[in-house]
Amino acid sequence: AQNTMIFAIGSFGSKILVLFLTRLYTGNFDYSDSGVKGLLETTVLLLQPVFTFALQEYLIRFGLDRNYNKKEVFTTSSVMTIFGMLIMSFTIPLLSNIPAFDFIKGYTILLIVYITTSSLRMLFQQIVRAKEFVKLFSFDGILTTFTFFIFNVVFISGFHWGVKGFMLAVILSDFLSSAFLFIAAGLYKYMGLAYFNKSLCNEMMRFAAPLIPTIVMWAITSLSDKLFIRQMHSDRVQLGEDAVGIYGYATQIPNLISVISTIFFQAWNMSAITENESADRGKFYEKVYSAYEAVLFIASAGLLLFIKPVTAIFIDTSRYAGYGDVYIYTPLLVPAVLFSCLNQFLGSIYSVTKHSKNSFWTALAACLVNLLLNFFLIPEWGIQGAAVATLFSYLFCY
């Protein structure tokens, strides 16, 4: 509860501020640019876990475990991340030649730097969390959001750099965050090539191996909606790059639910690992899950009740009137996010108990259901078909 409060102070205001940037984007990006921005963001979610070897999963698991030397965990993780970034730098130019990923062209260098700085920040964040510096972690969240907000306003509203301006804002804010965490947490004290442990590297890779395709499949579940909407053709409904932009913003509003989930989950994940050996572990999980589920359902019901006015707050329709349709596609996505949050909780138990293979099978089931429903529903129902596919895939996984 204490950690949740600290994370809430550091995260809630900053995450709401980021949501308000949606209004900046809808006021300055046309439908096509919005579609490309959404595709690039989801591509990062797809590629990052592959080339960081599921860093966000294994580092916190081994870093909080008292049975492992933290200096060895941190140094070994750093070496693995650097190695992954080198492979990624050669892969992205090849990926841009695949027709479905042709939207990467023109953004190749920026995308490489984007993933590199984002991964570096993730590495330092997880080390700070593993050291249980939760106040520093939260303060960094506030600081990074502030710089990200300022860079967005300057690059997009001021210089009119469009999607490239957005990517530069992410790159610079992540780089400044990485530098701040490295210095403020004294991370240089916990790193050195002498602490690289090959056997620990192999153990972390065995743990992460099923999680890499798991995270990738969740990213595919998110990316496939947009790719199907962009690539498929229909005589009955609107599809194409413009529709991708509208759908992308429809997925942003339910993120108000995931804001609550993320704040809680950061604290829960730490507690679940540190309490893994306790005698009353089952009762502890049950109580926390019951409270978590109740809060999610109440928050989702409240958001559905006020979906149209809430959407109007975050979406600017003054320049591009088509964004006014965003709220039509949001109601199905709210329960989709709710079940996604519940899946994340249940999946974390697999991670804590090192049964990461189970996460793979549940993610595979959700991914296959999503792809099949997208294929059949999007040509018939368009954007709404993608929303239905997303909801049922998360529900099936649950």
Side-chain angles (χ1 to χ4, degrees), residues 318-339:
S318 60
R319 189 172 179 185
Y320 301 102
Y323 290 136
D325 293 336
V326 164
Y327 81 96
I328 297 170
Y329 309 109
T330 305
L332 285 172
L333 293 168
V334 172
V337 169
L338 184 151
F339 283 107

Side-chain angles (χ1 to χ4, degrees), residues 103-129:
F103 57 86
I104 293 176
K105 289 180 179 177
Y107 302 99
T108 306
I109 301 299
L110 279 174
L111 188 60
I112 292 170
V113 180
Y114 183 134
I115 295 175
T116 302
T117 53
S118 178
S119 300
L120 188 66
R121 183 182 181 228
M122 184 190 293
L123 172 70
F124 293 162
Q125 276 187 314
Q126 298 307 317
I127 293 175
V128 166
R129 278 184 68 200

Side-chain angles (χ1 to χ4, degrees), residues 44-210:
V44 172
L45 296 178
L46 175 68
L47 298 178
Q48 192 172 48
V50 175
F51 295 108
T52 58
F53 312 110
L55 165 70
Q56 67 270 39
E57 297 290 340
Y58 73 76
L59 203 161
I60 193 70
R61 177 62 188 82
F62 285 82
L64 281 171
D65 196 319
R66 297 180 181 89
N67 297 317
Y68 296 92
N69 183 306
K70 290 191 188 305
K71 290 184 178 181
E72 290 185 354
V73 171
F74 299 160
T75 298
T76 305
S77 300
S78 301
V79 172
M80 290 166 66
T81 303
I82 292 169
F83 179 69
M85 291 303 99
L86 290 173
I87 300 173
M88 178 270 299
S89 300
F90 292 102
T91 305
I92 286 181
L94 300 175
L95 190 66
S96 64
N97 293 317
I98 300 173
F101 289 90
D102 59 359
F103 57 86
I104 293 176
K105 289 180 179 177
Y107 302 99
T108 306
I109 301 299
L110 279 174
L111 188 60
I112 292 170
V113 180
Y114 183 134
I115 295 175
T116 302
T117 53
S118 178
S119 300
L120 188 66
R121 183 182 181 228
M122 184 190 293
L123 172 70
F124 293 162
Q125 276 187 314
Q126 298 307 317
I127 293 175
V128 166
R129 278 184 68 200
K131 291 293 294 177
E132 299 187 60
F133 296 159
V134 290
K135 292 178 182 177
L136 178 62
F137 180 89
S138 296
F139 181 74
D140 171 69
I142 298 171
L143 186 67
T144 305
T145 304
F146 178 74
T147 57
F148 179 60
F149 188 87
I150 295 299
F151 286 138
N152 267 280
V153 172
V154 172
F155 296 157
I156 295 173
S157 186
F159 296 158
H160 304 288
W161 286 351
V163 177
K164 290 182 178 179
F166 162 76
M167 296 181 77
L168 280 171
V170 176
I171 290 167
L172 289 175
S173 61
D174 281 349
F175 177 77
L176 290 174
S177 168
S178 301
F180 169 73
L181 288 173
F182 189 79
I183 296 169
L187 298 185
Y188 50 86
K189 299 175 185 176
Y190 304 100
M191 295 181 186
L193 285 177
Y195 298 116
F196 178 77
N197 187 321
K198 188 176 179 181
S199 62
L200 176 62
C201 177
N202 292 333
E203 186 178 354
M204 289 196 293
M205 283 299 294
R206 282 195 301 272
F207 172 78

